[in-house]
Amino acid sequence: MGYFVSVSPLLLLAVVIIFAQRTQRQMIIRSILKKKAKEDKAAMVALAKNFIGKDCMVYTLDCGVYTGIIKEVTDGGILLEGKKGTEVINIDYVKRLREYPRNKKGKRKSIVV
């Protein structure tokens, strides 16, 4: 014979309320993080526009380094023209932008740290 476990309605109500509060808190945190990400992206786009026409190094999250002249900056990415041709880099993955260092004669430095 099977056993039937009776659950108190108050206990069931308490579990539902706790679960609802938890999911509501998670939704609030997600919305705050999305808003922050949009603000950070807008700031990166504004800063990257200062480098248009300059020879730059673009560092990405996957530890990649792309070098070349920045031709265009949009909300979605950076158009970079380098030795390998034209590349588009997703602005969400850019962690650092840097103008390529030059030596005293104005030429590119051969070793960049």
Side-chain angles (χ1 to χ4, degrees):
M1 288 192 206
Y3 293 98
F4 179 71
V5 178
S6 65
V7 178
S8 167
L10 292 176
L11 180 63
L12 184 61
L13 183 63
V15 169
V16 169
I17 290 173
I18 290 171
F19 181 73
Q21 287 177 346
R22 187 172 164 199
T23 55
Q24 183 180 13
R25 191 176 322 128
Q26 289 172 348
M27 288 175 25
I28 291 170
I29 290 170
R30 281 189 196 127
S31 68
I32 291 170
L33 290 176
K34 282 183 182 179
K35 184 178 178 183
K36 179 106 171 108
K38 286 181 184 178
E39 291 171 0
D40 290 346
K41 184 177 179 179
M44 179 59 86
V45 169
L47 292 171
K49 287 184 179 183
N50 293 330
F51 290 97
I52 292 177
K54 295 182 181 177
D55 193 19
C56 295
M57 300 173 72
V58 180
Y59 296 87
T60 58
L61 292 175
D62 63 346
C63 298
V65 179
Y66 301 92
T67 59
I69 298 172
I70 295 179
K71 294 295 182 183
E72 185 180 344
V73 178
T74 62
D75 289 337
I78 296 175
L79 187 65
L80 189 73
E81 189 175 301
K83 290 181 181 178
K84 297 178 182 178
T86 304
E87 297 176 299
V88 178
I89 303 166
N90 190 340
I91 198 91
D92 295 331
Y93 298 106
V94 173
K95 71 175 180 181
R96 182 178 176 200
L97 282 170
R98 176 182 180 189
E99 193 170 351
Y100 208 98
R102 305 274 176 184
N103 63 12
K104 293 178 184 177
K105 296 180 182 178
K107 295 183 179 180
R108 278 181 160 195
K109 285 189 174 181
S110 58
I111 298 174
V112 179
V113 181

